Amino acid sequence: MPRRCILRMCHVLALVLCVSATEDFDWTKNERTSFYYGTFPTGFSWGAGSSAYQTEGAWNVDGKGMSIWDAFAHKKGTISSNDSGDSSCEGYYKVKDDINLMKDIKLNHYRFSISWPRILPSGLKSEHINEKGIKYYDDLINMLLENKITPIVTLYHWDLPQVLQEKYGGWQNVSMVNYFNDFANLCFERFGNRVKYWITFNNPWSIAVEGFETGEHAPGLKLKGTGSYKAAHHIIKAHAKVWHTYDIQWRSKQKGLVGISLTADWGEPVDLTNQRDIEAAERYIQFYMGWFATPIFNGDYPQVMKDYIGRKSGQQGLGASRLPVFSPQEKSYIKGTCDFLGLGHFTTRYVTQKNYPSGLGDSYFADRDLAELVDPKWPDPGSEWLYSVPWGFRRLLNFVKTQYGNPMIYVTENGVSEKMLCTDLCDDWRMQYLKDYIDEMLKAIKDGVNVKGYTTWSLLDNFEWDEGFSERFGLYYVDFRNKNKPRYPKASVQFYKRIISSNGFPNQREVESWKRKAVETCSSSNQLLAADPLIGHMEMVTEIVVPTVCTLCILLSAVFLMFLLRGRL
Ligand code: NOJ
């Protein structure tokens, strides 16, 4: 056979292979189960996350001011079992220990948040800067860097200074834009020589909807159909302002990046052949992620939000839409204010069209005209809203790529929980979740999505907001009953470690052995945890019982001696 002929055949064969490989990666095809073995691009960053209120504890220590979460959690009946983050994981006192845990997993980055009232107790930079709070974050950042762990810092993970809530109504008031900008500017000034990744807001959807619509989160307001839109409007403006501040005042010196972290579920049409379901699923995502991402990347709210909320407001006889409007100047000021997108993702919903007639009361949820469904076969080991649906992750990542011009993405949250009472450290379900979700992210990178890093939620079990300590997301189990808050590795620590050291999933044989090996190590941790009540008991004996008995003995002997001496005299 002539050489040219052989070459041509090779060429055709290569083409066929290529086509079938891309077919494999076509995310729009309903391919949901096959596992892809391969590795991540060199330099891909692996991390774990936390937030100030959820882990620090020390709520009133060293000059810290009160946050809306301190106030909310102290009200009886707001949090499951009346838990609060007063002491939580005592992370404030355990920086060194926790960095050792990160080092052991070989994390490339750690995502944490700065508590605004810890460094500005009254919320205002002009009033008082708490240097002890600054020192805490200084030490944390320095120690991370000494251990070659890159800090990714969130400026607002929900803990607004309580004074700003009481005086101005918090995010309902546009004055927060300037106050937040002052706080952010102070953080850039004090920490920006070392911090190169800034996240303005964590999950603004939750701040708006759960804080001002359902009232499940601080500040616990139920301003249905208006409060969440107003809060979101101010948050978007505040984000843009902080980005511009960094851009103008700090970027050339500090050379960092400023992004925002948006959390969203994927919404899949119940019936892929039904146009109304397809549109309902699109609305689900636009009302979730698009609400924030579209102004920031494209300059205004999604058209579908403007149409739906505008129409419903009209039907309710309102003169203007309940969705606030950006002026042309604001639109161009906000557009393009994102150096990278932080993405939080946990789960997926099926979505179908459902009309909410006006007159039943306005709400963010009714505005969307849709119903959410789940497949009862989806695994749900922990939080009642969290079903494991890995294929939704790839779809969401591709959606971001196509809608917002393929931005640089850092996955800032992804993980799964278990119930409080579960003390099994052999967390098979978490290993499975991480394996499958991380693999879908790998497939998305092959699709061309620009993902640069992954952050699992969370490093430690911590205070899960209105659920208190009843749901555990950590790679490390925290024994909250013990005042020292000891940490115990779950099996997923070993598993995640293997993913990191292999930078992905090298081959089937190896990956299949990981779980087995991880389970072998977790049984010894299980024994340690089982011994913990005993240790707690021993501590009580040494710290309370022994000193009390000794003091009593001394007292009794003194009395006895007195009597003896009296008798003699
Ligand atoms: C997103 C929030 O940012 C985080 O604080 C929370 O713990 C996780 N979701 C899990 O619910």
Side-chain angles (χ1 to χ4, degrees):
M1 208 186 300
R3 239 181 110 215
R4 268 186 45 206
C5 215
I6 298 178
L7 274 177
R8 174 156 303 164
M9 271 174 65
C10 288
H11 191 189
V12 172
L13 194 66
L15 264 177
V16 169
L17 286 176
C18 263
V19 170
S20 56
T22 42
E23 288 261 293
D24 237 22
F25 284 124
D26 184 352
W27 67 277
T28 55
K29 299 244 160 66
N30 248 0
E31 170 48 67
R32 294 174 176 183
T33 46
S34 71
F35 195 85
Y36 175 78
Y37 289 93
T39 50
F40 283 83
T42 321
F44 190 82
S45 191
W46 297 98
S50 73
S51 86
Y53 186 72
Q54 291 181 278
T55 52
E56 282 177 5
W59 73 281
N60 58 354
V61 164
D62 288 346
K64 177 182 169 292
M66 196 157 182
S67 81
I68 54 173
W69 269 95
D70 292 314
F72 188 66
H74 289 166
K75 262 188 239 143
K76 288 254 167 311
T78 53
I79 311 290
S80 156
S81 307
N82 287 321
D83 288 338
S84 80
D86 287 2
S87 58
S88 191
C89 310
E90 300 281 28
Y92 189 73
Y93 306 102
K94 285 178 169 269
V95 172
K96 220 172 170 183
D97 299 352
D98 289 342
I99 291 183
N100 279 334
L101 303 182
M102 297 175 214
K103 255 171 74 180
D104 180 49
I105 315 178
K106 297 212 168 51
L107 294 187
N108 305 116
H109 69 259
Y110 177 54
R111 177 184 176 219
F112 65 92
S113 78
I114 295 183
S115 155
W116 181 348
R118 194 177 289 290
I119 67 172
L120 296 178
S122 72
L124 304 189
K125 188 179 169 193
S126 54
E127 285 183 358
H128 171 58
I129 299 175
N130 180 26
E131 292 298 335
K132 284 193 177 158
I134 299 260
K135 181 170 180 327
Y136 165 70
Y137 294 110
D138 258 337
D139 292 348
L140 170 59
I141 292 165
N142 290 342
M143 242 186 267
L144 285 169
L145 291 174
E146 278 157 26
N147 289 289
K148 302 202 168 36
I149 300 169
T150 303
I152 298 189
V153 180
T154 310
L155 292 164
Y156 189 84
H157 204 125
W158 309 355
D159 44 357
L160 187 83
Q162 171 68 5
V163 187
L164 298 183
Q165 186 64 43
E166 282 169 11
K167 267 200 194 159
Y168 305 100
W171 291 107
Q172 289 301 296
N173 192 313
V174 72
S175 63
M176 287 312 104
V177 176
N178 285 338
Y179 295 142
F180 181 63
N181 185 57
D182 289 346
F183 160 64
N185 206 2
L186 175 67
C187 293
F188 297 151
E189 182 191 328
R190 296 299 191 92
F191 311 122
N193 57 344
R194 288 153 294 154
V195 173
K196 303 299 162 194
Y197 294 87
W198 293 101
I199 291 167
T200 53
F201 287 90
N202 174 69
N203 191 357
W205 180 91
S206 220
I207 305 170
V209 174
E210 295 176 295
F212 296 95
E213 175 90 27
T214 65
E216 292 156 288
H217 282 185
L221 299 174
K222 295 183 182 155
L223 310 169
K224 293 209 168 146
T226 55
S228 64
Y229 297 133
K230 207 168 174 185
H233 202 65
H234 297 148
I235 288 171
I236 294 166
K237 285 186 181 182
H239 160 80
K241 178 143 193 172
V242 167
W243 185 90
H244 281 286
T245 298
Y246 191 81
D247 203 43
I248 295 164
Q249 293 188 38
W250 304 102
R251 191 187 294 281
S252 61
K253 271 178 260 157
Q254 299 186 346
K255 305 202 166 33
L257 301 173
V258 178
I260 188 166
S261 179
L262 304 180
T263 300
D265 299 348
W266 175 247
E268 181 79 359
V270 169
D271 177 358
L272 277 169
T273 62
N274 180 336
Q275 189 56 27
R276 280 154 51 94
D277 282 359
I278 293 173
E279 284 168 17
E282 168 81 14
R283 278 202 303 286
Y284 179 75
I285 303 187
Q286 295 296 359
F287 269 76
Y288 212 142
M289 146 163 280
W291 186 3
F292 302 92
T294 318
I296 289 171
F297 286 101
N298 304 339
D300 198 2
Y301 288 121
Q303 192 56 43
V304 74
M305 284 187 82
K306 295 200 281 188
D307 291 348
Y308 269 67
I309 304 165
R311 184 167 46 80
K312 296 215 170 203
S313 307
Q315 286 164 359
Q316 288 148 4
L318 300 172
S321 174
R322 285 180 278 104
L323 183 69
V325 176
F326 291 120
S327 71
Q329 291 82 352
E330 286 170 342
K331 285 182 197 169
S332 57
Y333 184 75
I334 292 165
K335 184 174 173 178
T337 55
C338 207
D339 302 325
F340 68 92
L341 176 67
L343 185 65
H345 174 72
F346 292 86
T347 193
T348 282
R349 292 286 180 270
Y350 278 119
V351 182
T352 186
Q353 154 78 31
K354 179 182 173 188
N355 280 340
Y356 283 82
S358 61
L360 291 181
D362 11 302
S363 81
Y364 160 85
F365 294 100
D367 284 340
R368 304 177 306 170
D369 270 352
L370 58 86
E372 301 173 32
L373 305 162
V374 295
D375 182 337
K377 290 203 277 316
W378 289 341
D380 62 334
S383 317
E384 59 159 347
W385 54 271
L386 207 174
Y387 295 83
S388 175
V389 195
W391 52 262
F393 193 18
R394 183 181 181 188
R395 287 166 180 248
L396 181 69
L397 286 163
N398 273 282
F399 176 88
V400 169
K401 175 186 162 213
T402 48
Q403 293 265 321
Y404 311 119
N406 203 9
M408 185 202 291
I409 299 175
Y410 277 83
V411 173
T412 40
E413 283 185 21
N414 174 247
V416 70
S417 54
E418 66 259 356
K419 300 270 184 238
M420 167 69 180
L421 293 175
C422 173
T423 50
D424 187 355
L425 298 178
C426 303
D427 53 348
D428 195 47
W429 54 91
R430 183 169 289 102
M431 291 191 274
Q432 193 62 42
Y433 180 100
L434 291 180
K435 180 176 171 224
D436 293 342
Y437 270 76
I438 292 174
D439 194 52
E440 291 298 317
M441 176 175 66
L442 180 57
K443 291 180 191 169
I445 291 176
K446 303 284 171 196
D447 297 335
V449 184
N450 189 13
V451 189
K452 296 288 190 198
Y454 172 86
T455 319
T456 198
W457 187 266
S458 49
L459 181 70
L460 307 174
D461 289 341
N462 57 41
F463 177 81
E464 180 54 19
W465 308 112
D466 52 319
E467 301 298 340
F469 297 105
S470 67
E471 291 170 11
R472 298 176 172 274
F473 275 87
L475 293 178
Y476 282 88
Y477 180 98
V478 177
D479 186 355
F480 295 106
R481 297 161 310 173
N482 182 324
K483 76 172 186 347
N484 294 321
K485 312 294 165 91
R487 285 84 159 120
Y488 298 94
K490 301 179 192 173
S492 48
V493 167
Q494 290 303 321
F495 191 78
Y496 190 41
K497 222 171 140 171
R498 302 236 182 219
I499 297 179
I500 295 176
S501 66
S502 311
N503 199 27
F505 306 101
N507 60 64
Q508 188 168 2
R509 197 174 40 83
E510 204 174 325
V511 173
E512 274 169 9
S513 72
W514 289 353
K515 248 197 206 171
R516 196 171 17 85
K517 290 184 184 152
V519 170
E520 277 163 20
T521 61
C522 71
S523 46
S524 54
S525 315
N526 260 340
Q527 280 165 15
L528 274 175
L529 178 62
D532 193 50
L534 200 67
I535 294 167
H537 180 75
M538 277 158 53
E539 266 170 12
M540 196 182 80
V541 170
T542 49
E543 286 173 16
I544 304 170
V545 179
V546 172
T548 321
V549 170
C550 287
T551 324
L552 274 175
C553 284
I554 294 169
L555 274 174
L556 282 174
S557 336
V559 174
F560 183 69
L561 250 172
M562 265 170 54
F563 272 113
L564 214 75
L565 288 175
R566 264 196 174 178
R568 291 240 170 129
L569 290 176

